[in-house]
Amino acid sequence: MKIYETPEGADMYTEMRGGADFSEHKDTLVKHIGDGSTLLELGMGPANDYAWMRNVFKVTGSDYSEVFLGRAKEKFPEGDFMLLNAKTMDTERRFDAIFSNKVYQHFDLPTTKIAMAAQAKVLNDHGTIAHTFWVGKDTVEDFEDRTYYFHSKENLTAAIEEAGFTIVFTHDYNECENREDEFNSVFVIAKKN
């Protein structure tokens, strides 16, 4: 996914997302994670969610794109950021919660399961993951240098449970009207076993 590693690609993604964020679900996150908890945001991109999360949680923003990290540091000089691969989770730091907004669309199901297991290792005891996913009928779509995976909700939740989590909340919603499915997204919150 080299597109996110170039200034032009980061610009394209930022323009496509606009100011879209996940703040409408803030109350749900706080209920399950706790105000003031340490939270790692994976794949923060243009930092739309980081912008509001920093006022609620002790948030650390992360991305594998140095372009996005550099821009976030310019926008939020007091912020806490790290270069991080959402699959391997190579960090010694520990968090109460991990959040991502549509990051795992780039991972096939076995890789998603590996990533979830890696997250368990950087969570504190009884830590929480909160992720949004595009959902579909286990289809794959290629676009330029990116591949998108649309897993079924059932397969995603099974992968999360197999990685050592208990699902405590799911919410089906429709983020994008041009998809043929009634609900094209799911928000999943799970606790580390």
Side-chain angles (χ1 to χ4, degrees), residues 129-146:
I129 58 172
H131 299 300
T132 68
F133 302 92
W134 291 110
V135 293
K137 298 173 182 153
D138 296 311
T139 57
V140 179
E141 294 180 18
D142 290 312
F143 181 75
E144 295 178 5
D145 75 336
R146 297 169 306 249

Side-chain angles (χ1 to χ4, degrees), residues 29-69:
L29 279 173
V30 171
K31 175 183 173 185
H32 289 277
I33 295 171
D35 192 7
S37 295
T38 58
L39 182 140
L40 173 64
E41 181 186 4
L42 297 175
M44 68 177 189
N48 293 348
D49 288 307
Y50 183 89
W52 67 267
M53 285 185 169
R54 68 193 177 102
N55 297 315
V56 180
F57 305 107
K58 295 173 188 162
V59 66
T60 300
S62 73
D63 208 293
Y64 83 97
S65 167
E66 292 184 34
V67 175
F68 279 133
L69 283 176

Side-chain angles (χ1 to χ4, degrees), residues 5 51 59 125 131 163 179 181:
E5 298 174 26
V59 66
D125 290 343
H131 299 300
R179 306 264 329 156
D181 304 302

